[in-house]
Amino acid sequence: MLNEIKQELQSIADPGRARKCKSYFKTGKGQYAEGDIFIGVGSPKQRELAKKYKDIPLNELQELLNSKIHEYRQTALFIMVIKFKKAKKNPLEKRQIFELYMKNTSRINNWDLVDCSAPHIVGEFLQKEGAERLKQLAKSENLWERRIAIISTFAFIKNNNFGDTLAISDMLLKDEHDLIHKAVGWGLREVGKKNKKVLELFLMQRYKEMPRTMLRYAIEKFPEDERKKWMAKEK
């Protein structure tokens, strides 16, 4: 199946799209995704292939994850998400998928790769085991592991468990990278959609030290007059 997936991805590759992706996903020298290679296949097409090849063995998925080509790695992640959902009554298989993911965090190295997979695999798996591994990732020097830490908690938020999102947000409050500012703000926004009072209490103690982008994302769903007040407070 491995070769078939590669051949199908290559057959629908779009060089024009690939050039745009290289710019959009910051693959230039010194940028956050330096050297990432795109062939120009959008997520909808990849998801179609993921459904078609969902029965590919995990060891072959490892080969896709090893690839320098972004879409190969992303298609592998889409397949892993499908496999994880399908393995509802198979704890061993779920753990194998989770461990494969954690083994490959260095290859899940762009924000779209994290966002399409972390909540659905890492977050879902750790709801029962607890968020200690996420807190370890939040301390990582690797940008993408820190993003995995906060984005994975979206699975917790879905079940009205806000504590771990808030704890990891606190850990990342002074992170220097804009992609973490956005991810934390996004997570806080999702908490606020479930329970605005919880978010407001969190912000009251921290808004002065929060990066402006993080605060803006966190209050995005507030009424406009309230957003203006929070941003004025920040100043």
Side-chain angles (χ1 to χ4, degrees), residues 82-94:
I82 293 171
K83 283 181 172 294
F84 191 90
K85 289 179 179 177
K86 190 178 176 182
K88 285 183 179 179
K89 298 181 179 179
N90 190 333
L92 177 59
E93 186 178 357
K94 290 175 80 170

Side-chain angles (χ1 to χ4, degrees), residues 10-136:
Q10 290 292 343
S11 72
I12 56 177
D14 180 346
R17 183 186 181 94
R19 285 192 294 273
K20 292 178 181 177
C21 287
K22 284 179 65 177
S23 173
Y24 182 70
F25 288 100
K26 309 299 184 186
T27 64
K29 188 172 182 179
Q31 294 182 311
Y32 62 71
E34 180 178 352
D36 204 355
I37 298 172
F38 286 82
I39 59 174
V41 180
S43 294
K45 291 292 185 181
Q46 291 181 56
R47 290 181 189 275
E48 287 179 19
L49 287 179
K51 291 177 183 177
K52 181 177 179 179
Y53 292 105
K54 64 183 184 296
D55 295 323
I56 185 174
L58 291 181
N59 66 308
E60 292 191 27
L61 285 180
Q62 178 65 70
E63 291 193 48
L64 282 179
L65 290 169
N66 288 340
S67 174
K68 293 181 180 180
I69 296 175
H70 185 100
E71 290 90 344
Y72 286 11
R73 301 197 306 282
Q74 188 166 35
T75 300
L77 293 169
F78 284 142
I79 293 172
M80 289 170 68
V81 169
I82 293 171
K83 283 181 172 294
F84 191 90
K85 289 179 179 177
K86 190 178 176 182
K88 285 183 179 179
K89 298 181 179 179
N90 190 333
L92 177 59
E93 186 178 357
K94 290 175 80 170
R95 178 170 289 279
Q96 288 173 335
I97 296 166
F98 169 76
E99 294 298 348
L100 177 65
Y101 191 99
M102 298 301 289
K103 175 184 172 184
N104 285 281
T105 54
S106 64
R107 298 177 179 89
I108 304 168
N109 56 352
N110 215 317
W111 59 262
D112 62 325
L113 301 181
V114 173
D115 297 0
C116 78
S117 60
H120 310 296
I121 297 174
V122 181
E124 289 292 342
F125 184 83
L126 291 178
Q127 285 195 77
K128 290 185 178 180
E129 296 210 354
E132 190 56 40
R133 290 184 77 169
L134 295 183
K135 292 174 182 177
Q136 293 172 9

Side-chain angles (χ1 to χ4, degrees), residues 98 101-102 105 114-115 117-127 130-131 133-135 137 144-158 161 164-165 168 183 186-187:
F98 169 76
Y101 191 99
M102 298 301 289
T105 54
V114 173
D115 297 0
S117 60
H120 310 296
I121 297 174
V122 181
E124 289 292 342
F125 184 83
L126 291 178
Q127 285 195 77
R133 290 184 77 169
L134 295 183
K135 292 174 182 177
L137 290 178
W144 307 114
E145 290 189 343
R146 301 198 305 277
R147 189 167 175 109
I148 287 169
I150 185 64
I151 295 295
S152 293
T153 69
F154 283 35
F156 300 4
I157 297 169
K158 185 173 65 177
N161 176 357
D164 293 310
T165 302
I168 292 172
W186 185 15

